[in-house]
Amino acid sequence: MSNVHQPPPSFGPEIKAQFALESNLTFLNHGSFGALPLVVRQAQEAWRVRIESNPIEWIGRRNIETLMAVKKHLARFVGCQPNDLGFVTNASEGVNAVLRSLRFEAGDELLTCDHVYNAVRQAMKSRAQETGARVVEVPIALPVRDQDHAMNCILNAITPRTRLIVIDHITSPTALRFDVRKIIDAVKGTRVQVLVDGAHAPGALQLSLDTLGAHFYAANLHKWTMAPRGSAFVWVAPQFQKDIHPCIISHEFANGFTAEFDWQGTRDLSAWNTVPAALAWFEKLGSQRVLQHNHQLAAWAHQLLCEEFSFEPLSPLDGSMLSCMASMRLPNSLQAKFDKPEAFQKQLLDADHIEVPIIEWNQHWLLRVSAAIHNEPAHYERLVVALKKYLA
Ligand SMILES: Cc1ncc(COP(=O)(O)O)c(C=O)c1O
């Protein structure tokens, strides 16, 4: 293997012990649902106990105060103002809140690309059906040469009918980091709005939402921030907050963005309230160190797999379009051996104790590896050994 990338020093057994992952499992799919460290699990349990000590006090009287404390810490982490954040339970809910709130007219175009997350694609289709708008999905062909090439595919598809662009900060099937700022800057001063799907971004990229300048940004905290599942947010630029409502309309309808998002009916508030503990742990590990480790490990694993199997890299091998995941196109011969990608994924789990997603995308099967703080080079080397059996 040439030496473009060295793997980073691993976080070591102490950090690995924070995760409840099965000891004989090679877990290369942090990207789907995350994995919760012990300190964060304990913090959430403490919140559950606190809430149960007097549900009226913590859900009824002090919810606004405790959520404000969460927003303040989260706002520092993602570079925005606390009151521009609304809590949702997952990125899908954030995307849906924006899509359902915006008014579209017949013939309006909602623009995205073929790397869009499928659930988001469906939400766009549903909203288009309701309003007579049209979803336009442009291809960004693989391999992607560079950011300009990728982002120009979107920009070249803008027409006078384009109302909204939905663009991933980090794509799910293809694991590419998109320079969404290029799109945001290009549409500034026009009627086109930009919703960034940042489901994978917090904890994977250094964020500064205030300066990014998007109209809307939806993100998960359970993936790379390692907060509990059920903690996610939607950020809305102040001038558009009056237009955006949560998916759940409750007592506070039309009382403003903050009031509406703060109360969406009775909910388990433990996940959101645990976010500061997750952020504190992340910051104690060293935010830059975590970001750098995961990125370097992903870039190294990408190169390792591409070189071992002569996979054509789908993005530059220098890792410049990766964050903490990398996807590779598997040879079509596998499709003759395994009926569906899920069958191959299950085979890797059952026979090789490797959890890694095999994703069908544009008729190809993609292998996507994640690189988290509980991962180390040996995990990808184990994947190489296993894949050799199936790719022989
Ligand atoms: C790019 C992208 N967008 C949206 C989502 C939806 O996230 P959730 O299922 O948590 O709503 C995901 C989930 O992995 C994703 O990868």
Side-chain angles (χ1 to χ4, degrees):
M1 183 176 175
S2 64
N3 240 351
V4 178
H5 299 288
Q6 291 293 335
S10 294
F11 271 84
E14 213 179 289
I15 294 302
K16 226 172 149 194
Q18 278 286 326
F19 296 87
L21 295 162
E22 286 169 26
S23 57
N24 67 345
L25 179 66
T26 301
F27 191 67
L28 295 175
N29 190 8
H30 190 94
S32 282
F33 305 128
L36 208 54
L38 179 63
V39 282
V40 183
R41 266 185 287 148
Q42 286 170 336
Q44 185 171 25
E45 183 54 20
W47 263 105
R48 288 197 169 118
V49 170
R50 187 173 301 145
I51 290 167
E52 293 317 318
S53 72
N54 183 350
I56 308 303
E57 175 73 357
W58 294 101
I59 303 174
R61 271 188 291 270
R62 298 187 65 179
N63 59 318
I64 303 295
E65 168 200 331
T66 59
L67 290 180
M68 190 58 196
V70 181
K71 280 189 218 172
K72 281 186 174 159
H73 197 155
L74 180 59
R76 284 199 303 277
F77 190 75
V78 297
C80 70
Q81 305 309 307
N83 277 332
D84 298 342
L85 294 166
F87 287 116
V88 288
T89 54
N90 53 50
S92 303
E93 193 184 316
V95 165
N96 273 273
V98 174
L99 288 173
R100 292 190 203 175
S101 297
L102 294 177
R103 294 180 186 199
F104 301 110
E105 286 170 14
D108 281 349
E109 291 174 357
L110 314 186
L111 175 60
T112 190
C113 71
D114 59 352
H115 299 238
V116 68
Y117 188 66
N118 187 50
V120 172
R121 173 189 284 125
Q122 303 307 330
M124 292 176 74
K125 274 193 199 164
S126 157
R127 192 64 185 132
Q129 254 175 34
E130 281 165 9
T131 58
R134 199 163 79 84
V135 176
V136 177
E137 191 174 307
V138 288
I140 301 180
L142 297 176
V144 176
R145 275 198 317 275
D146 56 31
Q147 291 290 354
D148 281 344
H149 163 69
M151 296 301 94
N152 282 338
C153 293
I154 304 261
L155 293 175
N156 292 338
I158 294 177
T159 74
R161 314 235 52 166
T162 308
R163 271 289 324 277
L164 180 74
I165 297 176
V166 180
I167 180 76
D168 298 84
H169 214 164
I170 297 170
T171 65
S172 175
T174 47
L176 298 173
R177 179 182 63 79
F178 280 162
D179 187 355
V180 295
R181 187 187 285 271
K182 284 189 195 298
I183 289 179
I184 294 164
D185 288 349
V187 302
K188 218 161 251 165
T190 73
R191 70 197 279 270
V192 180
Q193 297 187 312
V194 181
L195 163 58
V196 179
D197 176 356
H200 279 276
L205 304 175
Q206 179 82 50
L207 291 180
S208 174
L209 297 183
D210 271 347
T211 54
L212 185 63
H215 298 76
F216 317 104
Y217 195 104
N220 274 324
L221 296 167
H222 69 260
K223 291 180 189 279
W224 298 98
T225 314
M226 296 177 287
R229 286 172 209 100
S231 63
F233 69 84
V234 58
W235 174 93
V236 178
Q239 63 273 37
F240 304 111
Q241 287 173 8
K242 62 179 184 341
D243 304 328
I244 304 299
H245 306 281
C247 293
I248 305 296
I249 299 298
S250 187
H251 296 293
E252 301 291 345
F253 179 58
N255 284 344
F257 177 81
T258 302
E260 283 197 56
F261 275 88
D262 276 0
W263 186 264
Q264 302 178 49
T266 311
R267 288 190 170 199
D268 178 359
L269 302 178
S270 67
W272 295 319
N273 276 314
T274 304
V275 167
L279 295 179
W281 193 63
F282 196 98
E283 284 157 350
K284 197 169 145 211
L285 291 173
S287 303
Q288 279 313 319
R289 180 175 165 224
V290 174
L291 261 56
Q292 175 59 29
H293 169 273
N294 294 351
H295 174 68
Q296 198 178 330
L297 190 58
W300 173 81
H302 182 223
Q303 191 192 16
L304 171 79
L305 288 155
C306 286
E307 290 190 357
E308 280 286 350
F309 297 104
S310 302
F311 293 150
E312 179 188 26
L314 304 183
S315 66
L317 265 188
D318 63 6
S320 56
M321 291 191 71
L322 300 179
S323 58
C324 30
M325 301 187 291
S327 283
M328 281 132 286
R329 194 155 47 197
L330 292 168
N332 289 343
S333 58
L334 275 173
Q335 300 188 19
K337 283 193 202 153
F338 296 91
D339 199 25
K340 291 193 174 325
E342 295 82 18
F344 182 41
Q345 181 169 330
K346 189 70 168 52
Q347 172 72 19
L348 286 166
L349 179 65
D350 292 345
D352 307 289
H353 308 293
I354 297 174
E355 189 68 79
V356 66
I358 310 294
I359 304 164
E360 189 157 8
W361 186 82
N362 283 358
Q363 273 108 51
H364 292 287
W365 287 12
L366 303 180
L367 166 82
R368 187 187 76 187
V369 293
S370 284
I373 57 171
H374 48 76
N375 290 122
E376 61 195 28
H379 293 163
Y380 308 89
E381 283 155 2
R382 239 173 266 161
L383 178 63
V384 167
V385 172
L387 284 178
K388 277 188 178 155
K389 290 191 292 185
Y390 307 107
L391 296 180

